[in-house]
Amino acid sequence: YQRRVRDDRQTKLTFGMSLAKKTLYVGGLAESVTVQMLTAAFIPFGDLVDVQIPMDKNNSHRGFGFVEFDEKDDALAAIDNMHGAELAGRTLKCNIAKPNTLPKNRAVWDESVWAEMQTQSSLQDVMKKEGIAT
């Protein structure tokens, strides 16, 4: 883990995070925040590749978004400046986004770990667990 902190366009290394990441997780978004507002808040730190706010089934966002920068140093500067900042009355939480853990183009049940987790216990095991075994 290493973290770069931007200080007057100078970059120095400190411990904390992977250098290869350029996509930020931005949590704590108010319902009124739009992609345009999120873009405007993060564009001062560098060129943006993509800004997304995932929507739920009711077509309202889930309170978080993702901001991808062209340069990793810009992403790190944005974290340093925007983590704990306020947008639309809410305090933002900014971190490097974690990669999606599920493999693409594969069914989740193809994974042996998932299959093992889904195995059912015998009826006796369930009854013992519930305290009704005889």
Side-chain angles (χ1 to χ4, degrees), residues 14-132:
T14 59
F15 291 100
M17 120 178 89
S18 169
L19 297 176
K21 305 294 183 176
K22 299 184 287 184
T23 302
L24 305 183
Y25 162 86
V26 182
L29 298 179
E31 286 191 35
S32 62
V33 174
T34 64
V35 170
Q36 292 79 12
M37 290 172 69
L38 196 56
T39 300
F42 282 87
I43 197 100
F45 303 103
D47 294 333
L48 302 179
V49 175
D50 191 24
V51 177
Q52 297 178 8
I53 300 178
M55 299 296 192
D56 65 11
K57 294 176 184 175
N58 298 327
N59 206 24
S60 61
H61 72 73
R62 298 164 44 189
F64 64 90
F66 298 97
V67 178
E68 183 179 355
F69 284 88
D70 191 38
E71 298 289 327
K72 59 188 170 196
D73 290 340
D74 296 337
L76 296 170
I79 289 173
D80 291 337
N81 289 283
M82 295 299 287
H83 182 72
E86 189 175 309
L87 180 64
R90 301 272 307 265
T91 302
L92 299 179
K93 298 169 192 76
C94 300
N95 320 1
I96 292 293
K98 294 181 181 175
N100 190 353
T101 57
L102 293 177
K104 293 184 178 184
N105 299 326
R106 291 183 62 189
V108 68
W109 50 85
D110 284 347
E111 296 294 316
S112 61
V113 174
W114 185 87
E116 288 174 20
M117 289 176 16
Q118 300 304 316
T119 57
Q120 293 182 356
S121 301
S122 70
L123 180 57
Q124 287 180 336
D125 290 340
V126 171
M127 291 175 66
K128 282 181 186 176
K129 193 177 208 180
E130 296 297 322
I132 53 176

